[in-house]
């Protein structure tokens, strides 16, 4: 199973996170909701065990896919997520302006 297929989404009324677990390690990207139309990605944490494997990118990509599917926008306040949005101009349709 690929990293993207293994990502779990935990979602509450006001917050949530995208989570990837493997080999006793856990990577996460947390978000806060602004109403029903926008999320703020506020933190990404990828342990050294996953570095260089595309786990962080997979977390952000999954959020982008979910945003498209649900008609919401993303405000990437987390420096890692913001850098990924700069590298992927094709994600502009879900970027909150």
């Amino acid at each position: 199973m690929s990293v993207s297929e293994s990502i779990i989404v935990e979602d509450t009324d006001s917050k949530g996170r995208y989570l990837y677990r493997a080999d006793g390690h856990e990577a996460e990207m947390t978000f806060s909701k602004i109403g029903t139309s926008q999320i703020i990605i506020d933190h990404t944490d990828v342990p050294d065990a996953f570095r260089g494997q595309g786990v962080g990118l997979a977390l952000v990509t999954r959020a982008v896919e979910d945003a498209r599917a649900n008609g919401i926008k993303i405000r990437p306040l987390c420096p890692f997520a913001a850098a990924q949005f700069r590298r992927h101009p094709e994600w502009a349709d879900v970027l909150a302006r």
Side-chain angles (χ1 to χ4, degrees):
M1 188 178 300
S2 72
V3 171
S4 60
E5 293 171 330
S6 301
I7 294 173
I8 298 165
V9 181
E10 296 177 349
D11 194 353
T12 67
D13 288 337
S14 62
K15 295 186 176 291
R17 69 181 184 153
Y18 287 84
L19 180 66
Y20 173 73
R21 289 185 182 120
D23 302 322
H25 300 283
E26 182 176 286
E28 73 171 356
M29 183 181 70
T30 60
F31 63 89
S32 299
K33 295 179 182 178
I34 300 175
T36 58
S37 62
Q38 195 173 129
I39 65 167
I40 297 171
I41 296 176
D42 46 31
H43 179 71
T44 305
D45 181 40
V46 177
D48 289 339
F50 295 147
R51 300 252 185 238
Q53 298 177 35
V55 172
L57 175 58
L59 292 168
V60 181
T61 301
R62 174 66 186 277
V64 168
E65 292 167 353
D66 289 352
R68 281 186 180 136
N70 295 305
I72 64 171
K73 300 290 185 181
I74 297 174
R75 187 174 303 274
L77 292 185
C78 161
F80 177 81
Q84 292 305 315
F85 268 86
R86 285 191 299 274
R87 289 185 186 114
H88 294 275
E90 69 273 18
W91 295 349
D93 61 311
V94 298
L95 182 62
R97 304 235 179 253

